[in-house]
Amino acid sequence: QVLLHESGPRLVKPSETLSLTCTVSGGSVTSGSHYWSWIRQPPGKGLEWIGYIYYSGSTNYNPSLKSRVTMSIAIFKNQFSLNLTSVTTADTAVYYCARGIGDYEGFDYWGQGILVTVSS
Amino acid sequence: QSVVTQPPSASGTPGQRVTISCSGSSSNIGSHYVYWYQQLPGTAPKLLIYRNDQRPSGVPDRFSGSKSGTSASLAISGLRSEDEADYYCGPWDDSLSAPVFGGGTKLTVL
């Protein structure tokens, strides 16, 4: 059973950087059969894909967020991370990390999510 | 605005069969597998259907998926109160070179 767990500050001030980490257990971030993604869900709204990273470090980001997003992977910690800069109240959301399957497919495991509120 | 479209709501009575549609294009549903996720109130999304019509272990066979051309459907038979949730479809999209989600369908069991 693969488990993913998000961690990080739950309150971030406007204009600052949101930083989250996803810790993976029961599986390895070095798996060549998977990619690792961040997805968010503003309160009462739908799912929005933020970006993904492969163990090689190759990334792809949502064009609407690309200028503010950076993802990284820490192989020895079996973790991957999200940095979102210059946040505003519109970035308030539940942030999920998830494991994607292979190439061009969806997500088989999701973290429980972490609510991050942007407020002064 | 999502590149794949779902009805915002659906409803049915216990025991009924309901279907939820997901409409896309040749760059997403037309070219790739469709995944369906179930999000129960206050919880994270959970994989419900993968590769168009496959159920992960533990998902009841009341849930079924299908795909034809640039559209996909999720069917739930023998509707139960515990099926009340939000349902999202999610293919890959070649234009974005990324996974995308439909806007979600809120299923109400009357």
Side-chain angles (χ1 to χ4, degrees), chain A residues 1 22 36 41 49-50 55 66 76-77 85 89-90 92 101:
Chain A
Q1 175 79 348
C22 182
W36 307 92
Q41 185 172 36
W49 169 75
I50 299 171
Y55 81 95
K66 191 172 185 175
F76 295 111
K77 293 183 178 180
T85 63
T89 55
T92 293
I101 302 173

Side-chain angles (χ1 to χ4, degrees), chain A residues 7-45:
Chain A
S7 59
R10 294 173 182 267
L11 180 64
V12 181
K13 290 183 168 54
S15 80
E16 295 189 344
T17 297
L18 180 159
S19 297
L20 296 174
T21 296
C22 182
T23 301
V24 180
S25 58
S28 174
V29 297
T30 62
S31 167
S33 303
H34 300 95
Y35 63 94
W36 307 92
S37 224
W38 288 96
I39 296 149
R40 71 181 183 178
Q41 185 172 36
K45 296 189 177 181

